[in-house]
Amino acid sequence: MRHLVVDSSSLISLSSNCLLWLLDKLRADADLQLVATPEVRAEVVDKALKIERFRLGGVRVLKRFCNGTIVIDETDPVKTNKILRTANSVYKVKGRSYKIVHKAEMGLVPLAEKKGTGLMLVDERIVDKLINNPLGLKKVFERRLHMKVEIDKSKLKELKSLIGDVNTVKSSDLVAIAYEKGLLKEYVRECASKKTMKDLVSGSLWGLKKSGCSISTNDIKEYNKLLF
Amino acid sequence: MRSSVKKDIINILEGVNKAFTSYDPDEIMELSNHIIHSASIYQEEHTTKTAIVVYSIGKIMARGKIKRYPQEAWNEFETTVRDELVKAVKSLKKDGVKDFTNSLLRLQQAVMKLDKSFMSYADYVVDKAKIKKGAKVHEHGISIKRIADLFGVSEWELRSYAGATRMLEREKEKSNVKKRLERVRRFFK
């Protein structure tokens, strides 16, 4: 069984575009088990059910908790707090720590380690950049704040050590892999054509982007180039 | 409250008072953007609440130009805003944070009262203000989950708004799709 720890950001993107069925397909086809923390469930299900506009989205995710596509597991609170404190002290603005991430996001790392998986499904751009391009993130801050931002190198080193080999993928990557595995064919069975399949993939990527998955227009062009 | 935060808020509110008196909603909106820097750096409730209230006042005024509010309701709103802006600044100058917070609350309530007297659908200015200002803070590099807590909104609302902006296009970053796809392919092998 392949475990993939999932963030609320990805579940929201997928649910908003009625694409959660991809997770069911990947579970059946590729033995994928999604794991979420109780905090993730609280955000994507419990909160959504209280907001009329997002209630249906919440039910879509709830279905996946009920059918076992997503299971709940607890993360390590001590490790989580350590990673959170470190992550939120990497960048300094006006001599103060620039706090950029939330406890629930950093809690995914110890859970990923616990499940023996190297991957977290996260659509949030700040978490992705913090892990994969911390210098690039510094430039974003400087551009937006119009002031110098310092990186505490020892904190950054400590963060890299705490995160280890755990890395991120996005819901858009799952769409791509589902396409490569032929799992999208059934969806357009009645009107199967190369163009329709391309439209399904491209439309899904645009939908995810518009729902908050942190992919750019260039990223979507790159997906099209790599997949077709 | 930090002295730099207090100074920033006082300057903003004095600016809002001036712009409100001269009926300049564009200036008020500009001031609500200015306070986002402080909201991003300090991430404390007074700056976020001030940003929401200032934006809401600006939005109400902008709507007032196009869609006339009932005169009596508008007069009451005008009086409350002028009084409370002055009170808020006075309280902060005397380090009366509790009184300042109460003034902010009364300002927000005044906006909501006027808004509800006119709008027939659930698209209220203050709720929109939280999302819009929250999205602005996200552009400053704070995660949406963190902002959702700070501004008291749900992630669902923030993500759906942030997704519609052109923030990532403006950043013009090199694509790392290829690397991530390789990663996910290895995972599923």
Side-chain angles (χ1 to χ4, degrees):
Chain A
M1 190 170 268
R2 290 181 182 85
H3 288 102
L4 185 58
V5 170
V6 64
D7 184 44
S8 49
S9 54
S10 301
L11 291 176
I12 289 171
S13 308
L14 288 164
S15 176
S16 301
N17 291 282
C18 301
L19 287 171
L20 286 169
W21 59 270
L22 284 180
L23 304 181
D24 299 327
K25 284 273 181 195
L26 284 166
R27 182 186 174 206
D29 180 83
D31 206 20
L32 176 70
Q33 177 66 75
L34 281 159
V35 188
T37 61
E39 291 76 19
V40 165
R41 190 211 144 105
E43 179 64 45
V44 292
V45 177
D46 304 335
K47 260 196 199 165
L49 294 181
K50 291 178 182 152
I51 307 170
E52 289 155 2
R53 195 152 69 100
F54 301 114
R55 190 168 289 156
L56 179 57
V59 172
R60 289 185 192 125
V61 184
L62 175 61
K63 179 187 161 83
R64 272 72 200 186
F65 280 102
C66 295
N67 73 5
T69 294
I70 311 172
V71 296
I72 293 180
D73 201 350
E74 297 279 357
T75 188
D76 181 329
V78 173
K79 275 191 183 171
T80 298
N81 281 330
K82 190 157 189 197
I83 298 173
L84 177 71
R85 266 196 316 269
T86 310
N88 280 338
S89 50
V90 169
Y91 301 95
K92 302 273 189 262
V93 175
K94 288 185 172 181
R96 274 175 67 87
S97 292
Y98 196 52
K99 295 177 183 173
I100 58 173
V101 286
H102 190 277
K103 188 174 171 178
E105 288 157 338
M106 296 297 99
L108 300 175
V109 175
L111 183 56
E113 285 172 347
K114 180 181 171 182
K115 304 312 286 188
T117 176
L119 284 191
M120 310 185 294
L121 182 60
V122 180
D123 283 8
E124 168 62 59
R125 73 180 182 121
I126 306 302
V127 173
D128 179 44
K129 282 183 92 74
L130 181 63
I131 293 173
N132 290 298
N133 190 4
L135 290 177
L137 198 48
K138 172 184 180 286
K139 288 180 185 160
V140 169
F141 300 150
E142 286 178 337
R143 240 190 335 262
R144 283 293 171 181
L145 293 168
H146 307 294
M147 50 182 82
K148 192 98 179 70
V149 174
E150 304 289 341
I151 284 186
D152 184 326
K153 290 188 176 137
S154 65
K155 290 290 179 190
L156 181 59
K157 193 177 175 186
E158 189 184 340
L159 181 68
K160 284 184 176 179
S161 157
L162 287 167
I163 288 176
D165 292 329
V166 175
N167 214 320
T168 57
V169 288
K170 300 184 184 185
S171 56
S172 48
D173 301 318
L174 289 193
V175 167
I177 210 78
Y179 162 72
E180 287 185 339
K181 287 180 157 292
L183 300 178
L184 304 185
K185 282 184 187 159
E186 198 187 305
Y187 192 85
V188 290
R189 183 169 38 94
E190 297 88 353
C191 44
S193 77
K194 204 171 177 184
K195 184 186 182 297
T196 307
M197 182 54 73
K198 260 182 126 171
D199 285 340
L200 173 60
V201 172
S202 157
S204 300
L205 295 175
W206 275 104
L208 290 171
K209 174 183 164 58
K210 292 298 178 184
S211 302
C213 178
S214 54
I215 52 175
S216 65
T217 313
N218 277 342
D219 287 339
I220 294 177
K221 283 181 187 163
E222 193 64 18
Y223 277 113
N224 283 325
K225 217 167 78 179
L226 292 167
L227 296 174
F228 296 108
Chain B
M1 196 192 289
R2 291 177 173 272
S3 61
S4 47
V5 171
K6 191 173 77 171
K7 197 176 160 196
D8 215 11
I9 295 176
I10 288 170
N11 286 339
I12 295 285
L13 292 182
E14 283 176 341
V16 171
N17 200 5
K18 219 170 146 186
F20 188 77
T21 309
S22 55
Y23 208 96
D24 189 351
D26 294 335
E27 175 61 17
I28 294 177
M29 298 297 231
E30 190 54 42
L31 288 166
S32 82
N33 283 336
H34 183 83
I35 202 167
I36 288 302
H37 274 20
S38 288
S40 305
I41 295 167
Y42 300 109
Q43 293 179 32
E44 53 92 70
E45 63 167 312
H46 299 107
T47 39
T48 52
K49 281 181 177 162
T50 304
I52 291 164
V53 162
V54 169
Y55 176 84
S56 302
I57 292 171
K59 198 73 184 169
I60 281 277
M61 283 178 74
R63 278 187 190 172
K65 269 186 177 175
I66 302 159
K67 299 176 183 184
R68 298 275 162 215
Y69 290 99
Q71 194 59 51
E72 206 178 296
W74 179 261
N75 291 344
E76 189 187 332
F77 172 73
E78 227 179 7
T79 307
T80 307
V81 168
R82 285 214 180 100
D83 287 349
E84 293 299 339
L85 281 174
V86 168
K87 275 184 196 165
V89 169
K90 264 191 185 148
S91 303
L92 265 189
K93 283 180 174 173
K94 287 191 292 192
D95 285 325
V97 176
K98 198 176 173 188
D99 290 337
F100 162 72
T101 308
N102 288 337
S103 285
L104 274 191
L105 181 61
R106 283 190 289 267
L107 282 166
Q108 185 172 301
Q109 285 167 344
V111 166
M112 286 162 73
K113 191 177 176 186
L114 183 69
D115 204 16
K116 280 178 182 171
S117 75
F118 185 76
M119 302 302 276
S120 58
Y121 50 90
D123 206 13
Y124 300 123
V125 165
V126 171
D127 294 336
K128 280 278 187 192
K130 289 177 183 177
I131 307 291
K132 194 141 185 171
K133 292 296 124 184
K136 270 276 174 212
V137 174
H138 177 56
E139 287 186 21
H140 284 60
I142 316 294
S143 82
I144 282 184
K145 226 187 285 299
R146 199 171 170 90
I147 293 162
D149 268 4
L150 214 58
F151 280 79
V153 293
S154 80
E155 235 188 289
W156 286 85
E157 288 166 306
L158 269 175
R159 287 202 184 279
S160 102
Y161 183 89
T165 68
R166 291 185 51 79
M167 177 180 59
L168 290 175
E169 273 57 60
R170 284 195 293 268
E171 282 173 19
K172 292 184 185 145
E173 278 180 9
K174 209 175 139 184
S175 176
N176 60 356
V177 168
K178 193 174 180 186
K179 252 191 188 166
R180 273 204 326 274
L181 255 189
E182 281 164 8
R183 203 181 293 148
V184 81
R185 280 168 183 157
R186 275 197 305 271
F187 178 78
F188 279 101
K189 232 186 197 162

Coordinates of all heavy atoms in Angstrom, one line a residue, chain A residues 98 125 138-147, chain B residues 36-37 40 136-141 166-168 170-171:
Chain A
Y98 N 9.5 36.3 10.5 CA 8.3 36.4 9.6 C 7.6 35.1 9.6 O 8.1 34.1 9.0 CB 8.8 36.8 8.2 CG 7.8 37.4 7.3 CD1 6.9 38.4 7.7 CD2 7.6 36.9 6.0 CE1 6.0 39.0 6.8 CE2 6.6 37.4 5.1 CZ 5.8 38.4 5.5 OH 4.9 39.0 4.7
R125 N 1.1 27.0 -2.0 CA 2.4 27.4 -2.6 C 3.5 27.7 -1.6 O 4.7 27.5 -1.8 CB 2.2 28.6 -3.5 CG 2.0 29.9 -2.8 CD 1.8 31.1 -3.7 NE 1.7 32.3 -3.0 CZ 2.5 33.4 -3.1 NH1 3.5 33.3 -4.0 NH2 2.3 34.5 -2.4
K138 N 12.2 34.0 -0.3 CA 12.7 35.3 0.2 C 12.5 36.4 -0.8 O 12.1 37.5 -0.4 CB 14.2 35.1 0.5 CG 15.0 36.3 0.9 CD 16.5 36.0 1.0 CE 17.4 37.1 1.4 NZ 17.7 38.1 0.4
K139 N 12.7 36.1 -2.1 CA 12.5 37.1 -3.1 C 11.1 37.6 -3.2 O 10.8 38.8 -3.4 CB 13.0 36.6 -4.5 CG 14.5 36.5 -4.6 CD 15.0 36.0 -5.9 CE 16.5 35.8 -5.9 NZ 16.9 34.9 -6.9
V140 N 10.2 36.6 -3.0 CA 8.7 37.0 -3.0 C 8.4 37.9 -1.9 O 7.8 39.0 -2.1 CB 7.8 35.7 -2.9 CG1 6.4 36.1 -2.6 CG2 7.9 34.8 -4.1
F141 N 8.9 37.7 -0.7 CA 8.7 38.5 0.4 C 9.2 39.9 0.1 O 8.6 40.9 0.4 CB 9.4 38.0 1.7 CG 8.9 36.6 2.1 CD1 9.8 35.8 2.8 CD2 7.6 36.2 1.9 CE1 9.4 34.5 3.2 CE2 7.2 34.9 2.3 CZ 8.1 34.1 2.9
E142 N 10.5 40.0 -0.4 CA 11.1 41.3 -0.6 C 10.3 42.1 -1.6 O 10.2 43.3 -1.5 CB 12.6 41.1 -1.0 CG 13.4 40.7 0.1 CD 14.9 40.4 -0.3 OE1 15.2 40.2 -1.5 OE2 15.7 40.5 0.6
R143 N 9.9 41.4 -2.7 CA 9.1 42.1 -3.7 C 7.8 42.7 -3.2 O 7.4 43.8 -3.5 CB 8.8 41.1 -4.8 CG 9.3 41.5 -6.2 CD 8.8 40.7 -7.3 NE 8.4 39.3 -7.1 CZ 9.1 38.2 -7.3 NH1 10.3 38.3 -7.7 NH2 8.6 37.0 -7.0
R144 N 7.2 41.9 -2.3 CA 5.9 42.3 -1.8 C 6.0 43.3 -0.7 O 5.1 44.2 -0.6 CB 5.1 41.1 -1.3 CG 4.6 40.3 -2.4 CD 3.5 41.0 -3.1 NE 3.0 40.4 -4.3 CZ 2.1 41.0 -5.0 NH1 1.6 42.1 -4.7 NH2 1.7 40.4 -6.1
L145 N 7.0 43.1 0.2 CA 7.1 44.0 1.4 C 7.9 45.3 1.1 O 7.9 46.2 1.9 CB 7.7 43.3 2.5 CG 6.9 42.1 3.1 CD1 7.8 41.3 4.1 CD2 5.7 42.6 3.9
H146 N 8.6 45.3 -0.1 CA 9.5 46.4 -0.4 C 10.5 46.7 0.7 O 10.8 47.8 1.0 CB 8.7 47.7 -0.7 CG 7.6 47.5 -1.7 ND1 7.8 47.2 -3.1 CD2 6.3 47.5 -1.6 CE1 6.7 47.0 -3.7 NE2 5.7 47.2 -2.8
M147 N 11.0 45.6 1.2 CA 12.1 45.8 2.2 C 13.0 44.5 2.3 O 12.6 43.5 1.7 CB 11.5 46.1 3.6 CG 10.4 45.2 4.1 SD 9.8 45.7 5.8 CE 8.6 47.0 5.4
Chain B
I36 N -1.7 46.5 5.0 CA -1.5 45.1 4.7 C -0.1 44.7 5.1 O 0.2 43.6 5.5 CB -1.9 44.7 3.3 CG1 -3.4 44.7 3.1 CG2 -1.3 43.3 2.9 CD1 -4.2 43.8 4.1
H37 N 0.9 45.7 4.8 CA 2.3 45.4 5.1 C 2.4 45.1 6.6 O 3.0 44.1 7.0 CB 3.1 46.6 4.8 CG 3.6 46.7 3.4 ND1 3.0 46.0 2.4 CD2 4.6 47.4 2.8 CE1 3.6 46.2 1.3 NE2 4.6 47.1 1.5
S40 N 0.9 41.8 7.6 CA 1.7 40.6 7.2 C 2.9 40.5 8.1 O 3.2 39.3 8.5 CB 2.3 40.8 5.8 OG 1.3 41.1 4.8
K136 N -4.8 39.5 0.1 CA -3.7 40.4 -0.1 C -2.5 40.0 0.8 O -1.3 40.1 0.4 CB -4.1 41.8 0.4 CG -4.7 42.7 -0.8 CD -3.5 43.3 -1.6 CE -4.2 44.0 -2.8 NZ -3.3 44.0 -3.9
V137 N -2.8 39.6 2.1 CA -1.7 39.1 3.0 C -1.1 37.9 2.4 O 0.1 37.7 2.5 CB -2.3 38.9 4.4 CG1 -1.2 38.3 5.3 CG2 -2.7 40.2 5.0
H138 N -1.9 37.0 1.8 CA -1.3 35.8 1.2 C -0.3 36.1 0.1 O 0.7 35.5 -0.1 CB -2.5 34.9 0.6 CG -2.0 33.7 -0.1 ND1 -1.2 32.7 0.5 CD2 -2.2 33.3 -1.4 CE1 -1.0 31.8 -0.4 NE2 -1.6 32.1 -1.5
E139 N -0.6 37.2 -0.7 CA 0.3 37.7 -1.7 C 1.7 38.1 -1.1 O 2.7 38.0 -1.7 CB -0.2 38.9 -2.5 CG -1.4 38.5 -3.4 CD -1.8 39.6 -4.3 OE1 -1.1 40.6 -4.5 OE2 -2.9 39.5 -4.8
H140 N 1.7 38.4 0.2 CA 2.9 38.8 0.9 C 3.6 37.6 1.4 O 4.6 37.7 2.1 CB 2.6 39.7 2.1 CG 2.3 41.1 1.6 ND1 1.2 41.5 0.8 CD2 2.9 42.3 1.9 CE1 1.2 42.8 0.6 NE2 2.2 43.3 1.3
G141 N 3.1 36.4 1.1 CA 3.9 35.2 1.4 C 3.4 34.4 2.6 O 4.2 33.6 3.1
R166 N -4.3 36.8 -10.3 CA -3.2 36.5 -11.2 C -1.8 36.6 -10.4 O -0.8 36.9 -11.0 CB -3.2 37.5 -12.3 CG -4.4 37.3 -13.3 CD -4.3 38.2 -14.5 NE -3.0 38.2 -15.1 CZ -2.6 37.3 -16.0 NH1 -3.4 36.2 -16.3 NH2 -1.5 37.3 -16.6
M167 N -1.9 36.3 -9.2 CA -0.7 36.4 -8.3 C 0.5 35.6 -8.9 O 1.6 36.1 -9.0 CB -1.1 35.9 -6.9 CG 0.0 35.9 -5.9 SD -0.6 35.3 -4.3 CE -1.2 33.7 -4.8
L168 N 0.3 34.3 -9.2 CA 1.4 33.4 -9.7 C 1.9 33.9 -11.0 O 3.1 33.8 -11.3 CB 0.9 32.0 -9.8 CG 0.7 31.3 -8.4 CD1 0.1 29.9 -8.6 CD2 1.9 31.2 -7.6
R170 N 2.1 37.0 -12.0 CA 2.9 38.2 -11.7 C 4.3 37.8 -11.2 O 5.3 38.5 -11.4 CB 2.2 39.1 -10.7 CG 1.0 39.9 -11.3 CD 0.6 41.0 -10.4 NE 0.1 40.5 -9.1 CZ -1.2 40.3 -8.9 NH1 -2.1 40.5 -9.9 NH2 -1.7 39.9 -7.8
E171 N 4.4 36.6 -10.5 CA 5.7 36.2 -10.0 C 6.6 35.7 -11.0 O 7.8 35.6 -10.8 CB 5.5 35.3 -8.8 CG 5.0 36.0 -7.6 CD 4.6 35.1 -6.4 OE1 5.0 33.9 -6.4 OE2 4.0 35.6 -5.5

